[in-house]
Amino acid sequence: MNGHHTVVVVGGGQAGLSASHCLSARGIDHVVLERETAGHEWADRRWDSFCLVTPNWQCRLPGFPYPGDDPDGFMVRDEIVAYLRTYRDAFDFPLIEGIEATRLRRTTRGFQVSTSEGELTADHVVLATGPYQVPLIPRMAERLPSDVVQVHSADYRNPEQLPPGEVLVVGTGQSGCQIAEDLHLAGRRVHLAVGSAPRVARRYRGRDVVAWLDDMGYYRRGIDEFADADAVRFRANHYVTGRDGGRDIDLRAFARDGMRLYGRLTGINGGRLTFAQDLSHNLDAADAVSEGIKDSIDTWITAHAIDAPHEDRYVPVWQPDTEPSELDLHTSGITSVVWSTGFGRDHRWIEVPVFDGRGYPTHERGVTSCPGLYFIGLPWQHTWGSGRFCGVAEDAEYLAAHIASTSRRTDGLHWIAGTPDSTYPADEYWTAPRTVA
Ligand SMILES: Cc1cc2nc3c(=O)[nH]c(=O)nc-3n(C[C@H](O)[C@H](O)[C@H](O)COP(=O)(O)OP(=O)(O)OC[C@H]3O[C@@H](n4cnc5c(N)ncnc54)[C@H](O)[C@@H]3O)c2cc1C
């Protein structure tokens, strides 16, 4: 596979297909490269009982709003995959599956994209390679006894996959909380190391909290409206679930019903685990965020004189007696650990210096400091929905318009915007440090 395209889009998930849809609408020549198959992330890296946390009505890919009959429900994994693959099949996307982009370099005329099947050149490249790429596991995992089975949340499928015995789940972001619940509902004794992620109620005063926040304009707020963009961009997501029609995740209720809660896992020494003394604090802080969101909904209801039913506030159903600081793996009967410790990004193949000291791409609404190079699908790229189903269409539209205007300016001159100059040395010089970003 060789040749030149105006745009090469790398990644055929919802972000890449959305970008493609908006480029096609403007008649811009492009190709989408996907190393697996469209929807692969949802199909192959989510557990069996997985379902959306966001209501179905928020699935609004460009030209393809949620087509089902349960807009207030939460699609399960296979329905999400079907939604995406129906999208793929309904439009004539120039998608090539099974091809990986392995190297991206700047050239004097644009970009060179090396792939598993040959070389491409492009005037523009849109990187839609996903927000959650590389499973992160802390190095202390190496100190676990060898007879303890370890999986990352990306590889967890169901309780039967784990050996009989008790399970330690580390991390209480969305994945950790939902996996802990999955195991708990299956009758497994779960030990949960609770981190600092906030929580949100599923419903309040007669509606899904997402519906209130949507009315309140929360999902349309741009990242530039926040005083500390980084704090917003990198904070953990609120935990809640769409399972069985949607409900709260209340870790205190799990504890009341037999789950063992601890603070953050801080160390492993032989078979002994140590925890920070922050369980009470983390539970209180998560509840405070949830109640604060309810406060803002109350304010909205009052300000707009909305006739919404009263709802009593949350009352904690359990409090820790002590802050457990240690746990012996073997005496507790723990035979497996599920690391729900998040994901990183691997940008080593992108040899263009657009990353900051943390390896995060420097960009404004996905337009990087290197002319012609764009990202799409980053969490809070522009709004809350950028890294989700609900906001990616707006970002795709923005980037397609940007590319169209840049291409128009360069018509006849082929490539002028972003011509390498003294600040942008050409070709082989364009190699970024090989670090995992
Ligand atoms: C546990 C979990 C729960 C989530 N729940 C929700 C939810 O309820 N609602 C919601 O709206 N969002 C949710 N999200 C967030 C988001 O919608 C998903 O992460 C979604 O998969 C992001 O889509 P994407 O297209 O940006 O990236 P991805 O789906 O990750 O797609 C990127 C694609 O790029 C391909 N790729 C990567 N590198 C290359 C390369 N070098 N060459 C070629 N192809 C490449 C990959 O194979 C992949 O198919 C959740 C995410 C996680 C992890």
Side-chain angles (χ1 to χ4, degrees):
M1 189 184 65
N2 295 294
H4 181 85
H5 293 277
T6 306
V7 185
V8 168
V9 179
V10 183
Q14 67 215 34
L17 294 182
S18 297
S20 177
H21 191 279
C22 296
L23 291 168
S24 293
R26 288 180 161 74
I28 298 173
D29 149 67
H30 68 283
V31 66
V32 184
L33 308 180
E34 166 54 52
R35 67 180 167 202
E36 305 274 348
T37 52
H40 145 76
E41 278 295 309
W42 296 104
D44 303 322
R45 301 224 300 176
R46 303 284 184 270
W47 50 98
D48 294 349
S49 66
F50 178 88
C51 60
L52 287 180
V53 162
T54 51
N56 294 334
W57 58 263
Q58 278 205 329
C59 292
R60 39 192 179 206
L61 298 180
F64 199 60
Y66 168 72
D69 58 6
D70 188 14
D72 296 321
F74 306 89
M75 285 191 276
V76 298
R77 182 190 60 192
D78 295 349
E79 292 170 329
I80 305 165
V81 175
Y83 170 65
L84 264 178
R85 294 197 172 150
T86 306
Y87 188 47
R88 172 193 64 185
D89 298 340
F91 295 91
D92 197 17
F93 292 111
L95 168 71
I96 311 176
E97 295 179 321
I99 291 196
E100 180 173 13
T102 53
R103 191 177 189 193
L104 175 64
R105 282 174 294 161
R106 188 74 194 286
T107 70
T108 47
R109 289 170 63 85
F111 296 92
Q112 175 147 12
V113 187
S114 303
T115 80
S116 49
E117 302 277 328
E119 299 292 324
L120 291 175
T121 56
D123 299 337
H124 308 261
V125 172
V126 178
L127 296 165
T129 49
Y132 307 110
Q133 298 174 345
V134 186
L136 294 180
I137 296 181
R139 291 288 305 259
M140 66 174 131
E142 296 160 14
R143 294 162 66 86
L144 276 174
S146 58
D147 58 345
V148 174
V149 170
Q150 307 183 43
V151 293
H152 186 270
S153 61
D155 299 314
Y156 171 78
R157 293 293 163 270
N158 53 53
E160 296 72 45
Q161 167 197 11
L162 304 178
E166 306 194 0
V167 186
L168 170 69
V169 177
V170 183
T172 47
Q174 296 231 0
S175 298
C177 287
Q178 290 175 46
I179 289 170
E181 183 188 52
D182 195 44
L183 291 158
H184 182 68
L185 293 177
R188 301 291 288 264
R189 164 64 65 80
V190 176
H191 302 254
L192 180 62
V194 177
S196 57
R199 81 181 182 101
V200 61
R202 179 75 275 170
R203 295 188 182 83
Y204 184 58
R205 299 193 65 179
R207 297 173 81 201
D208 195 302
V209 167
V210 174
W212 285 122
L213 293 177
D214 190 56
D215 285 359
M216 291 159 61
Y218 178 71
Y219 301 125
R220 291 182 292 283
R221 284 187 75 183
I223 187 76
D224 46 0
E225 293 177 43
F226 293 85
D228 187 350
D230 271 7
V232 173
R233 240 177 207 142
F234 298 114
R235 72 184 171 204
N237 289 321
H238 301 68
Y239 57 83
V240 62
T241 183
R243 191 163 174 165
D244 301 329
R247 58 175 172 244
D248 291 3
I249 288 190
D250 181 357
L251 301 184
R252 296 180 196 269
F254 290 161
R256 179 197 58 199
D257 299 340
M259 196 182 284
R260 299 276 162 85
L261 303 190
Y262 308 82
R264 259 177 320 107
L265 179 65
T266 52
I268 300 174
N269 193 357
R272 292 199 78 71
L273 311 179
T274 52
F275 300 93
Q277 309 280 289
D278 57 4
L279 173 60
S280 291
H281 174 267
N282 291 344
L283 293 173
D284 291 345
D287 289 343
V289 170
S290 177
E291 295 306 295
I293 293 169
K294 291 177 183 172
D295 289 343
S296 62
I297 294 172
D298 284 343
T299 305
W300 174 262
I301 287 171
T302 305
H304 293 81
I306 296 167
D307 183 18
H310 170 78
E311 181 171 335
D312 289 338
R313 288 305 189 90
Y314 175 75
V315 178
V317 296
W318 178 87
Q319 298 282 3
D321 298 333
T322 55
E323 289 277 351
S325 59
E326 283 202 346
L327 175 66
D328 184 283
L329 275 176
H330 288 122
T331 54
S332 64
I334 292 174
T335 56
S336 54
V337 176
V338 182
W339 295 102
S340 302
T341 37
F343 295 83
R345 298 171 58 86
D346 184 354
H347 290 135
R348 284 175 295 178
W349 62 281
I350 302 167
E351 298 178 3
V352 185
V354 292
F355 301 99
D356 68 14
R358 294 162 302 187
Y360 183 77
T362 53
H363 69 90
E364 287 285 337
R365 292 194 70 170
V367 180
T368 74
S369 50
C370 173
L373 185 64
Y374 311 90
F375 280 83
I376 187 166
L378 298 172
W380 277 102
Q381 179 162 308
H382 176 50
T383 62
W384 178 88
S386 288
R388 297 178 171 86
F389 274 117
C390 83
V392 71
E394 194 194 338
D395 291 353
E397 183 58 30
Y398 179 82
L399 291 183
H402 189 278
I403 290 169
S405 65
T406 312
S407 301
R408 264 199 308 281
R409 284 207 302 275
T410 60
D411 267 358
L413 292 171
H414 185 63
W415 178 267
I416 195 165
T419 298
D421 58 22
S422 54
T423 12
Y424 288 142
D427 292 329
E428 274 64 42
Y429 205 78
W430 276 82
T431 49
R434 288 197 162 260
T435 52
V436 176

PDB file of all heavy atoms in Angstrom, residues 202-221:
ATOM      1  N   ARG A 202     -26.663   8.299  40.189  1.00  0.00           N
ATOM      2  CA  ARG A 202     -27.243   7.976  38.876  1.00  0.00           C
ATOM      3  C   ARG A 202     -28.432   8.884  38.586  1.00  0.00           C
ATOM      4  O   ARG A 202     -28.555   9.439  37.490  1.00  0.00           O
ATOM      5  CB  ARG A 202     -27.667   6.497  38.884  1.00  0.00           C
ATOM      6  CG  ARG A 202     -28.305   5.938  37.656  1.00  0.00           C
ATOM      7  CD  ARG A 202     -27.326   5.677  36.505  1.00  0.00           C
ATOM      8  NE  ARG A 202     -27.037   6.797  35.664  1.00  0.00           N
ATOM      9  CZ  ARG A 202     -26.079   6.811  34.737  1.00  0.00           C
ATOM     10  NH1 ARG A 202     -25.296   5.782  34.562  1.00  0.00           N
ATOM     11  NH2 ARG A 202     -25.874   7.864  33.998  1.00  0.00           N
ATOM     12  N   ARG A 203     -29.313   9.000  39.610  1.00  0.00           N
ATOM     13  CA  ARG A 203     -30.519   9.809  39.406  1.00  0.00           C
ATOM     14  C   ARG A 203     -30.676  10.792  40.559  1.00  0.00           C
ATOM     15  O   ARG A 203     -30.221  10.524  41.678  1.00  0.00           O
ATOM     16  CB  ARG A 203     -31.767   8.922  39.335  1.00  0.00           C
ATOM     17  CG  ARG A 203     -31.751   8.017  38.134  1.00  0.00           C
ATOM     18  CD  ARG A 203     -33.060   7.266  37.913  1.00  0.00           C
ATOM     19  NE  ARG A 203     -32.886   6.399  36.762  1.00  0.00           N
ATOM     20  CZ  ARG A 203     -32.323   5.208  36.793  1.00  0.00           C
ATOM     21  NH1 ARG A 203     -31.908   4.717  37.945  1.00  0.00           N
ATOM     22  NH2 ARG A 203     -32.176   4.507  35.692  1.00  0.00           N
ATOM     23  N   TYR A 204     -31.342  11.870  40.295  1.00  0.00           N
ATOM     24  CA  TYR A 204     -31.644  12.827  41.361  1.00  0.00           C
ATOM     25  C   TYR A 204     -32.874  13.614  40.942  1.00  0.00           C
ATOM     26  O   TYR A 204     -32.993  14.058  39.794  1.00  0.00           O
ATOM     27  CB  TYR A 204     -30.447  13.766  41.596  1.00  0.00           C
ATOM     28  CG  TYR A 204     -30.665  14.718  42.745  1.00  0.00           C
ATOM     29  CD1 TYR A 204     -30.938  14.247  44.023  1.00  0.00           C
ATOM     30  CD2 TYR A 204     -30.604  16.095  42.549  1.00  0.00           C
ATOM     31  CE1 TYR A 204     -31.151  15.121  45.085  1.00  0.00           C
ATOM     32  CE2 TYR A 204     -30.802  16.983  43.609  1.00  0.00           C
ATOM     33  CZ  TYR A 204     -31.089  16.482  44.870  1.00  0.00           C
ATOM     34  OH  TYR A 204     -31.301  17.348  45.916  1.00  0.00           O
ATOM     35  N   ARG A 205     -33.769  13.748  41.850  1.00  0.00           N
ATOM     36  CA  ARG A 205     -34.999  14.518  41.658  1.00  0.00           C
ATOM     37  C   ARG A 205     -35.698  14.171  40.339  1.00  0.00           C
ATOM     38  O   ARG A 205     -36.035  15.024  39.523  1.00  0.00           O
ATOM     39  CB  ARG A 205     -34.708  16.004  41.794  1.00  0.00           C
ATOM     40  CG  ARG A 205     -34.161  16.331  43.202  1.00  0.00           C
ATOM     41  CD  ARG A 205     -34.141  17.786  43.508  1.00  0.00           C
ATOM     42  NE  ARG A 205     -35.480  18.355  43.561  1.00  0.00           N
ATOM     43  CZ  ARG A 205     -35.731  19.630  43.832  1.00  0.00           C
ATOM     44  NH1 ARG A 205     -34.725  20.450  44.102  1.00  0.00           N
ATOM     45  NH2 ARG A 205     -36.945  20.093  43.852  1.00  0.00           N
ATOM     46  N   GLY A 206     -35.862  12.867  40.156  1.00  0.00           N
ATOM     47  CA  GLY A 206     -36.719  12.391  39.080  1.00  0.00           C
ATOM     48  C   GLY A 206     -36.047  12.173  37.744  1.00  0.00           C
ATOM     49  O   GLY A 206     -36.708  11.730  36.800  1.00  0.00           O
ATOM     50  N   ARG A 207     -34.753  12.490  37.621  1.00  0.00           N
ATOM     51  CA  ARG A 207     -34.120  12.297  36.310  1.00  0.00           C
ATOM     52  C   ARG A 207     -32.706  11.768  36.484  1.00  0.00           C
ATOM     53  O   ARG A 207     -32.080  11.910  37.542  1.00  0.00           O
ATOM     54  CB  ARG A 207     -34.019  13.633  35.566  1.00  0.00           C
ATOM     55  CG  ARG A 207     -35.320  14.259  35.237  1.00  0.00           C
ATOM     56  CD  ARG A 207     -35.057  15.630  34.665  1.00  0.00           C
ATOM     57  NE  ARG A 207     -34.696  15.575  33.249  1.00  0.00           N
ATOM     58  CZ  ARG A 207     -34.047  16.552  32.619  1.00  0.00           C
ATOM     59  NH1 ARG A 207     -33.649  17.629  33.262  1.00  0.00           N
ATOM     60  NH2 ARG A 207     -33.786  16.455  31.328  1.00  0.00           N
ATOM     61  N   ASP A 208     -32.167  11.225  35.369  1.00  0.00           N
ATOM     62  CA  ASP A 208     -30.750  10.859  35.353  1.00  0.00           C
ATOM     63  C   ASP A 208     -29.931  12.128  35.536  1.00  0.00           C
ATOM     64  O   ASP A 208     -30.242  13.167  34.934  1.00  0.00           O
ATOM     65  CB  ASP A 208     -30.420  10.200  34.001  1.00  0.00           C
ATOM     66  CG  ASP A 208     -29.089   9.470  34.056  1.00  0.00           C
ATOM     67  OD1 ASP A 208     -28.070  10.124  34.353  1.00  0.00           O
ATOM     68  OD2 ASP A 208     -29.066   8.256  33.799  1.00  0.00           O
ATOM     69  N   VAL A 209     -28.902  12.043  36.359  1.00  0.00           N
ATOM     70  CA  VAL A 209     -28.055  13.222  36.607  1.00  0.00           C
ATOM     71  C   VAL A 209     -27.454  13.738  35.296  1.00  0.00           C
ATOM     72  O   VAL A 209     -27.284  14.954  35.099  1.00  0.00           O
ATOM     73  CB  VAL A 209     -26.970  12.876  37.659  1.00  0.00           C
ATOM     74  CG1 VAL A 209     -25.886  13.944  37.704  1.00  0.00           C
ATOM     75  CG2 VAL A 209     -27.617  12.726  39.034  1.00  0.00           C
ATOM     76  N   VAL A 210     -27.157  12.828  34.379  1.00  0.00           N
ATOM     77  CA  VAL A 210     -26.589  13.246  33.077  1.00  0.00           C
ATOM     78  C   VAL A 210     -27.575  14.166  32.343  1.00  0.00           C
ATOM     79  O   VAL A 210     -27.171  15.130  31.686  1.00  0.00           O
ATOM     80  CB  VAL A 210     -26.222  12.014  32.224  1.00  0.00           C
ATOM     81  CG1 VAL A 210     -25.781  12.421  30.820  1.00  0.00           C
ATOM     82  CG2 VAL A 210     -25.123  11.211  32.909  1.00  0.00           C
ATOM     83  N   ALA A 211     -28.855  13.873  32.471  1.00  0.00           N
ATOM     84  CA  ALA A 211     -29.858  14.711  31.789  1.00  0.00           C
ATOM     85  C   ALA A 211     -29.880  16.108  32.397  1.00  0.00           C
ATOM     86  O   ALA A 211     -29.946  17.113  31.677  1.00  0.00           O
ATOM     87  CB  ALA A 211     -31.236  14.057  31.892  1.00  0.00           C
ATOM     88  N   TRP A 212     -29.810  16.177  33.745  1.00  0.00           N
ATOM     89  CA  TRP A 212     -29.747  17.501  34.390  1.00  0.00           C
ATOM     90  C   TRP A 212     -28.496  18.253  33.924  1.00  0.00           C
ATOM     91  O   TRP A 212     -28.574  19.431  33.560  1.00  0.00           O
ATOM     92  CB  TRP A 212     -29.691  17.361  35.916  1.00  0.00           C
ATOM     93  CG  TRP A 212     -30.976  16.995  36.606  1.00  0.00           C
ATOM     94  CD1 TRP A 212     -31.189  15.907  37.398  1.00  0.00           C
ATOM     95  CD2 TRP A 212     -32.212  17.726  36.609  1.00  0.00           C
ATOM     96  NE1 TRP A 212     -32.472  15.896  37.881  1.00  0.00           N
ATOM     97  CE2 TRP A 212     -33.125  17.012  37.416  1.00  0.00           C
ATOM     98  CE3 TRP A 212     -32.635  18.907  36.001  1.00  0.00           C
ATOM     99  CZ2 TRP A 212     -34.431  17.437  37.639  1.00  0.00           C
ATOM    100  CZ3 TRP A 212     -33.936  19.340  36.218  1.00  0.00           C
ATOM    101  CH2 TRP A 212     -34.814  18.608  37.025  1.00  0.00           C
ATOM    102  N   LEU A 213     -27.346  17.569  33.983  1.00  0.00           N
ATOM    103  CA  LEU A 213     -26.090  18.254  33.635  1.00  0.00           C
ATOM    104  C   LEU A 213     -26.089  18.703  32.177  1.00  0.00           C
ATOM    105  O   LEU A 213     -25.528  19.747  31.844  1.00  0.00           O
ATOM    106  CB  LEU A 213     -24.890  17.341  33.929  1.00  0.00           C
ATOM    107  CG  LEU A 213     -24.643  17.032  35.408  1.00  0.00           C
ATOM    108  CD1 LEU A 213     -23.473  16.067  35.569  1.00  0.00           C
ATOM    109  CD2 LEU A 213     -24.358  18.309  36.198  1.00  0.00           C
ATOM    110  N   ASP A 214     -26.755  17.920  31.339  1.00  0.00           N
ATOM    111  CA  ASP A 214     -26.858  18.315  29.929  1.00  0.00           C
ATOM    112  C   ASP A 214     -27.669  19.613  29.810  1.00  0.00           C
ATOM    113  O   ASP A 214     -27.253  20.561  29.139  1.00  0.00           O
ATOM    114  CB  ASP A 214     -27.515  17.188  29.133  1.00  0.00           C
ATOM    115  CG  ASP A 214     -27.432  17.421  27.639  1.00  0.00           C
ATOM    116  OD1 ASP A 214     -26.309  17.586  27.133  1.00  0.00           O
ATOM    117  OD2 ASP A 214     -28.493  17.464  26.987  1.00  0.00           O
ATOM    118  N   ASP A 215     -28.825  19.654  30.500  1.00  0.00           N
ATOM    119  CA  ASP A 215     -29.644  20.882  30.493  1.00  0.00           C
ATOM    120  C   ASP A 215     -28.844  22.072  31.030  1.00  0.00           C
ATOM    121  O   ASP A 215     -29.003  23.205  30.570  1.00  0.00           O
ATOM    122  CB  ASP A 215     -30.875  20.728  31.398  1.00  0.00           C
ATOM    123  CG  ASP A 215     -31.941  19.841  30.768  1.00  0.00           C
ATOM    124  OD1 ASP A 215     -31.729  19.367  29.640  1.00  0.00           O
ATOM    125  OD2 ASP A 215     -32.985  19.618  31.430  1.00  0.00           O
ATOM    126  N   MET A 216     -28.009  21.798  32.015  1.00  0.00           N
ATOM    127  CA  MET A 216     -27.270  22.880  32.670  1.00  0.00           C
ATOM    128  C   MET A 216     -26.073  23.349  31.847  1.00  0.00           C
ATOM    129  O   MET A 216     -25.353  24.265  32.264  1.00  0.00           O
ATOM    130  CB  MET A 216     -26.805  22.393  34.059  1.00  0.00           C
ATOM    131  CG  MET A 216     -27.965  22.205  35.032  1.00  0.00           C
ATOM    132  SD  MET A 216     -27.576  21.084  36.418  1.00  0.00           S
ATOM    133  CE  MET A 216     -26.234  21.911  37.232  1.00  0.00           C
ATOM    134  N   GLY A 217     -25.851  22.693  30.713  1.00  0.00           N
ATOM    135  CA  GLY A 217     -24.781  23.135  29.808  1.00  0.00           C
ATOM    136  C   GLY A 217     -23.410  22.610  30.169  1.00  0.00           C
ATOM    137  O   GLY A 217     -22.407  22.992  29.574  1.00  0.00           O
ATOM    138  N   TYR A 218     -23.361  21.685  31.136  1.00  0.00           N
ATOM    139  CA  TYR A 218     -22.049  21.208  31.584  1.00  0.00           C
ATOM    140  C   TYR A 218     -21.261  20.567  30.436  1.00  0.00           C
ATOM    141  O   TYR A 218     -20.051  20.777  30.304  1.00  0.00           O
ATOM    142  CB  TYR A 218     -22.224  20.195  32.724  1.00  0.00           C
ATOM    143  CG  TYR A 218     -20.919  19.629  33.210  1.00  0.00           C
ATOM    144  CD1 TYR A 218     -20.026  20.421  33.934  1.00  0.00           C
ATOM    145  CD2 TYR A 218     -20.558  18.320  32.920  1.00  0.00           C
ATOM    146  CE1 TYR A 218     -18.806  19.918  34.354  1.00  0.00           C
ATOM    147  CE2 TYR A 218     -19.346  17.803  33.338  1.00  0.00           C
ATOM    148  CZ  TYR A 218     -18.478  18.613  34.059  1.00  0.00           C
ATOM    149  OH  TYR A 218     -17.267  18.109  34.469  1.00  0.00           O
ATOM    150  N   TYR A 219     -21.953  19.818  29.615  1.00  0.00           N
ATOM    151  CA  TYR A 219     -21.236  19.077  28.569  1.00  0.00           C
ATOM    152  C   TYR A 219     -20.825  19.964  27.399  1.00  0.00           C
ATOM    153  O   TYR A 219     -20.103  19.522  26.513  1.00  0.00           O
ATOM    154  CB  TYR A 219     -22.092  17.892  28.089  1.00  0.00           C
ATOM    155  CG  TYR A 219     -22.437  16.935  29.220  1.00  0.00           C
ATOM    156  CD1 TYR A 219     -23.755  16.607  29.505  1.00  0.00           C
ATOM    157  CD2 TYR A 219     -21.432  16.406  30.012  1.00  0.00           C
ATOM    158  CE1 TYR A 219     -24.062  15.754  30.561  1.00  0.00           C
ATOM    159  CE2 TYR A 219     -21.730  15.560  31.067  1.00  0.00           C
ATOM    160  CZ  TYR A 219     -23.045  15.238  31.342  1.00  0.00           C
ATOM    161  OH  TYR A 219     -23.343  14.409  32.386  1.00  0.00           O
ATOM    162  N   ARG A 220     -21.306  21.203  27.394  1.00  0.00           N
ATOM    163  CA  ARG A 220     -20.901  22.122  26.318  1.00  0.00           C
ATOM    164  C   ARG A 220     -19.793  23.071  26.771  1.00  0.00           C
ATOM    165  O   ARG A 220     -19.302  23.863  25.985  1.00  0.00           O
ATOM    166  CB  ARG A 220     -22.122  22.927  25.836  1.00  0.00           C
ATOM    167  CG  ARG A 220     -23.136  22.074  25.087  1.00  0.00           C
ATOM    168  CD  ARG A 220     -24.298  22.890  24.573  1.00  0.00           C
ATOM    169  NE  ARG A 220     -25.133  23.412  25.638  1.00  0.00           N
ATOM    170  CZ  ARG A 220     -26.031  22.682  26.337  1.00  0.00           C
ATOM    171  NH1 ARG A 220     -26.202  21.396  26.056  1.00  0.00           N
ATOM    172  NH2 ARG A 220     -26.759  23.228  27.287  1.00  0.00           N
ATOM    173  N   ARG A 221     -19.397  22.990  28.032  1.00  0.00           N
ATOM    174  CA  ARG A 221     -18.344  23.899  28.517  1.00  0.00           C
ATOM    175  C   ARG A 221     -16.995  23.517  27.928  1.00  0.00           C
ATOM    176  O   ARG A 221     -16.554  22.375  28.030  1.00  0.00           O
ATOM    177  CB  ARG A 221     -18.237  23.830  30.045  1.00  0.00           C
ATOM    178  CG  ARG A 221     -19.345  24.567  30.747  1.00  0.00           C
ATOM    179  CD  ARG A 221     -19.096  24.597  32.232  1.00  0.00           C
ATOM    180  NE  ARG A 221     -18.039  25.557  32.592  1.00  0.00           N
ATOM    181  CZ  ARG A 221     -17.590  25.720  33.842  1.00  0.00           C
ATOM    182  NH1 ARG A 221     -18.095  24.998  34.817  1.00  0.00           N
ATOM    183  NH2 ARG A 221     -16.641  26.591  34.100  1.00  0.00           N
TER     184      ARG A 221
END
